[in-house]
C-alpha cells in the first residue's frame, strides 16, 4: 500500500511539471513575452542576492553594494547567470582583501 501511495504522489507532482514543458515548446509567444521570460532568471537572482548584499560585511556595507552593482552591470550586459554570480563574488572577494 505504501508503494502505491509513493507512486501516486510522484505522479501527482510529476504530471503538472512535465505537461508545460512539452506544451511551451510548441507555443509561439510575442516578442515582449519572450523578453519578459528571459528576464526571470535575473529577477530570481536579484531576489536571492539582495539579502546578502545588505549583510555581506556589516562593518563595511559598501562592499555588498558594490558587489550588487557589479552583478547588475554584468546582467545588463547580458552575460550568463553563472558569470554574473561569479563576477559579483569576485568583486566582493577583491574588495574584502
Amino acid at each position: 500500500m505504501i508503494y502505491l501511495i509513493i507512486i501516486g504522489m510522484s505522479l501527482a507532482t510529476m504530471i503538472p511539471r512535465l505537461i508545460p514543458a512539452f506544451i511551451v515548446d510548441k507555443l509561439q509567444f510575442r516578442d515582449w513575452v519572450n523578453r519578459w521570460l528571459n528576464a526571470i532568471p535575473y529577477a530570481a537572482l536579484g531576489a536571492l542576492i539582495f539579502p546578502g548584499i545588505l549583510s555581506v560585511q556589516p562593518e563595511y556595507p559598501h562592499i555588498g553594494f558594490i558587489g550588487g552593482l557589479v552583478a547588475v552591470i554584468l546582467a545588463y550586459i547580458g552575460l550568463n547567470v553563472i558569470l554574473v554570480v561569479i563576477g559579483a563574488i569576485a568583486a566582493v572577494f577583491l574588495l574584502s582583501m
Side-chain angles (χ1 to χ4, degrees):
M1 183 65 179
I2 200 82
Y3 291 118
L4 291 176
I5 292 172
I6 292 172
I7 291 170
M9 291 172 64
S10 66
L11 287 175
T13 59
M14 187 174 53
I15 290 172
R17 294 175 190 202
L18 285 179
I19 290 175
F22 290 115
I23 292 175
V24 170
D25 231 7
K26 294 174 179 47
L27 294 177
Q28 296 292 332
F29 296 114
R30 295 183 180 190
D31 286 338
W32 67 270
V33 174
N34 284 331
R35 281 181 290 170
W36 182 76
L37 290 173
N38 286 333
I40 289 175
Y42 297 106
L45 178 66
L48 293 172
I49 287 178
F50 190 72
I53 288 173
L54 300 176
S55 64
V56 68
Q57 285 192 354
E59 59 274 354
Y60 302 111
H62 67 280
I63 292 176
F65 288 114
I66 293 172
L69 183 65
V70 167
V72 167
I73 291 169
L74 293 177
Y76 183 74
I77 291 172
L79 293 179
N80 190 337
V81 176
I82 300 297
L83 295 176
V84 172
V85 171
I86 291 172
I89 291 171
V92 170
F93 176 75
L94 292 174
L95 291 170
S96 300
M97 293 177 73

